[in-house]
Amino acid sequence: MQLIRFFAMTTALLSVVVLHSARADTPKVVESQYDLVIRNGRVLDGAGNPWVEADIGIKDGKFAKIGRIEAANTNEIDATGKYVSPGWIDMMDQSGRVLRQNGRAENKILMGVTTVIAGEGGTPVPAGEIDQYFDQLTSHGIALNFGTYYSATQARRAVMGDAAGTPTEEQMEQMKALVATAMEQGALGITTALIYPPATFQSTDEIVELAKIAAQYGGIYASHIRDESGSLLEAIQEAIEIGERAELPVEIFHLKAAYKPGWGQLMPRAGELIEEARRQSVNIAADLYPYRAGGTGLEVTAPTWVFAEGLEKALERLKDPEIRTQLKKEIEAGPQANWSNLVHASGGWDNVMLANAYNSKYDRFRFKSIAYIAEELGEHPADVAWNIALEALPKRALALFFMMSEEDIETGLQFPWVSIGSDAAAAADANGVDALGLPHPRSYGTFPRIIAEYVRERGVLTLPDAIRKMTSWPASRMGLHDRGVIREGLWADVVIFDYEDIKDNASWEHPTAYPTGIDYVLVNGRIVAEGGVHTGVLAGQILKGPAAAQQSHQ
């Protein structure tokens, strides 16, 4: 009997050993509980917290689980040693027109941008056609998420044309109606670009009245403020006043101290002014791009009054030798009321570089200063600038204005309410200059540069805070409460990058070089870039303002 019991126990033990051995040799059961699993990444949640090692499960375009996922999944990304961040949000994008032509937006996607907020100059269609515009983008497909403002100046131009003047009561009502229509159809708010005619001719009171309409629909007022140079503080104060009187949030586009005589002084004072406004309950913040040069049309080197009677009259004036003599004196005189003298702000024509003349005659001078070109041609620098501008028509000849200091950029980046905006468009063609025609490295390098230069190399920001500025903070500002953070239930926009290798390769000499070190980009849970190559996936969504979003959920 004991012998029988011994053999029974031995057989049972052998069975356990055999079963254990079989289980050890059998591969893990592969499940497809998730559409995609990202494993072993250093997860930066976007809220400014330090990274944690975790797996991320994505299902139906959203984060389904963050933690430890035991079962193997059909589709997986091994992110061991890499950082996993929410997708990066470009707070000052210029892609409103080009996305209808090329929805892939290669230069944006390959630098980690998954959401763009456009509309400094408004929408590329009238207020009443924004619905159809959004439908067109959706049907053609876009690789990233897209939202846009409507422009207060767009409304003014539709009602009053492009000349100076004070709107009548009837004209104001027409402009308000256009803003209301735009908001109802999905605009995020209204913008102004007060340095450029005819926006220059809009008074504070006029803007306040239009901003009040946007406020009724839960919108934002965003502005390229009236002056970014010697009168920077006064321009910021105007933006604050508009926010206070209209009772809506204010966003200052591309905050900068673009005034060489005020380097090291204006930016700290601008920060103090905004901080004080925030203490007084004004919901104001700003974005910036991390480059010393801005880029815009050469026509802005002429005083504002030249454009007071419209563009056609302005072109006549710029061709007149006698008027040119007067304009040159005004440039040399320095700052003036109601005009940002960008030549003076840059420290002279030596710091104004030709970027795109749209004329083969000047190709040999690309990336040369206007002062250098003038010397070569034996002409006055102002004549060179205006000749190039006139000969480029109907295109807009573009220049780079080196107006900022690295010290001020670092100061601005450290303000906690500053986010990142490229002020650049997607490119119509892969590897090409952005749709603005401006060969500026910001269109290919802005977001990787923040990490590579200002986190890793200079230590200006910590990595968690840099990611916060590119994710949760702008999402919160824009009311995108289902994005910007890696959290279960939110949309899965993701960037996976190598901290040691990430680098912005775009430079002044090679402005269309793609960055390196970004391994994957996901938009709404789908891989749109892998290994620095666009996958062709068009997973983006239209992000509508609160008025239209509320209607769509009713």
Side-chain angles (χ1 to χ4, degrees), residues 529-548:
E530 180 175 353
V533 178
H534 200 296
T535 64
V537 170
L538 303 176
Q541 298 177 1
I542 299 299
L543 307 175
K544 294 185 178 182

Side-chain angles (χ1 to χ4, degrees), residues 224-308:
H224 177 149
I225 54 179
R226 205 172 292 274
D227 188 78
E228 299 170 323
S229 303
S231 298
L232 172 65
L233 302 180
E234 292 84 350
I236 291 174
Q237 188 58 58
E238 180 188 33
I240 292 170
E241 179 184 345
I242 291 168
E244 285 180 315
R245 292 172 59 188
E247 298 182 346
L248 82 174
V250 175
E251 179 76 10
I252 294 178
F253 283 145
H254 45 58
L255 178 68
K256 60 174 74 79
Y259 188 60
K260 191 172 183 179
W263 285 356
Q265 303 169 44
L266 280 176
M267 184 63 88
R269 292 171 64 190
E272 291 169 2
L273 184 58
I274 293 172
E275 290 281 7
E276 178 58 29
R278 290 180 62 83
R279 283 193 290 271
Q280 299 299 322
S281 301
V282 180
N283 186 357
I284 181 171
D287 54 74
L288 61 72
Y289 53 78
Y291 296 92
R292 288 187 54 245
T296 191
L298 273 171
E299 81 284 348
V300 302
T301 59
T304 300
W305 67 263
V306 172
F307 301 89

Side-chain angles (χ1 to χ4, degrees), residues 391-425:
E391 291 173 32
L393 295 171
K395 298 285 190 178
R396 188 185 189 202
L398 299 162
L400 300 171
F401 294 79
F402 285 82
M403 302 179 289
M404 288 79 79
S405 73
E406 281 293 344
E407 177 188 356
D408 285 340
I409 293 170
E410 292 184 3
T411 297
L413 278 173
Q414 292 177 79
F415 297 141
W417 33 263
V418 159
S419 57
I420 309 303
S422 70
D423 194 12

